[in-house]
């Protein structure tokens, strides 16, 4: 997979609340499919489908223990997605600073104390 | 939309190379559909479809000028997606630090200088 198509599958895998909740659970430690299925009140096949998408995106890996095959969170894909978004940090920080300034000016006009004073 | 379903549409909108390229172009300044279609060698209806997904996800907004309706990057959705990923920063930083330590130990065993010395 190219870095761009890797980002496609990562962002697509993150576009689901159950898959994001599975990642949040795995951030606390590895877990089997049975352990993952329990809190979600979902069938094991339904959870397995989500796990396949997460595995294809490189967001999780499965252990070799044939019985349990525990799932583990893999950090690289998350770090790469974060890296892409970080490219826009300056953009939103500048925008939010401009909004803060505007708010301060509006408060000053109303005779209120500007923020941070 | 709830914050969770907002994240669903944001991540789904980001899961496409053309849409990510459109956002990269709009980070340089607002642009009309015609201006956006040009570098992508795509038809205007194809670009418009992508813009609709980006607009629904709150990643862009359209100007009111009826003729041109320029597209503008909106920072909040990007900042929110980044905020979600930031929750995992400690996880990948710890993992990468462990890998660095392991690599240093392997180098030390081979009689090579560890990293950073």
């Amino acid at each position: 997979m190219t870095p761009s198509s890797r980002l496609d599958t990562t962002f697509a895998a993150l576009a689901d609340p159950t898959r994001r909740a599975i990642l949040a659970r795995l951030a606390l430690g590895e877990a089997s499919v049975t352990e993952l299925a329990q809190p979600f009140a979902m069938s094991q096949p339904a959870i397995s489908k989500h796990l396949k998408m997460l595995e294809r995106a490189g967001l999780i890996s499965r252990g070799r223990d044939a019985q349990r095959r525990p799932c583990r969170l893999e950090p690289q894909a998350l770090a790469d997605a974060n890296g892409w978004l970080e490219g826009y940090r300056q953009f939103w920080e500048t925008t939010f600073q401009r909004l803060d300034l505007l708010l301060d000016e509006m408060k000053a006009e109303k005779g209120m104390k500007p923020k941070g004073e």
Side-chain angles (χ1 to χ4, degrees), chain A:
Chain A
M1 274 206 274
T2 64
S4 177
S5 62
R6 171 69 81 181
L7 274 179
D8 292 353
T9 53
T10 303
F11 283 131
L14 294 178
D16 180 273
T18 305
R19 289 195 292 273
R20 289 198 302 277
I22 290 173
L23 295 179
R25 165 61 189 83
L26 293 178
L28 305 174
E30 58 177 45
S32 68
V33 180
T34 320
E35 287 162 341
L36 285 172
Q38 222 170 1
F40 293 109
M42 283 178 92
S43 68
Q44 287 198 20
I47 288 287
S48 287
K49 213 173 152 186
H50 283 307
L51 293 177
K52 277 206 185 85
M53 271 206 77
L54 290 169
E55 198 177 1
R56 208 162 33 227
L59 287 160
I60 66 163
S61 62
R62 308 289 302 269
R64 292 206 185 128
D65 174 345
Q67 279 295 312
R68 227 175 137 254
R69 298 211 62 209
C71 303
R72 190 180 300 120
L73 189 56
E74 289 293 334
Q76 189 63 60
L78 284 172
D80 290 345
N82 181 263
W84 184 85
L85 281 161
E86 281 294 322
Y88 293 83
R89 175 177 289 280
Q90 206 193 340
F91 179 79
W92 72 68
E93 282 184 347
T94 311
T95 310
F96 295 157
Q97 275 162 15
R98 266 202 303 262
L99 286 174
D100 269 349
L101 277 174
L102 194 66
L103 203 61
D104 284 350
E105 279 171 25
M106 285 166 70
K107 281 179 183 167
E109 273 176 25
K110 283 191 177 178
M112 292 163 70
K113 267 192 172 179
K115 202 180 144 190
E117 272 181 33

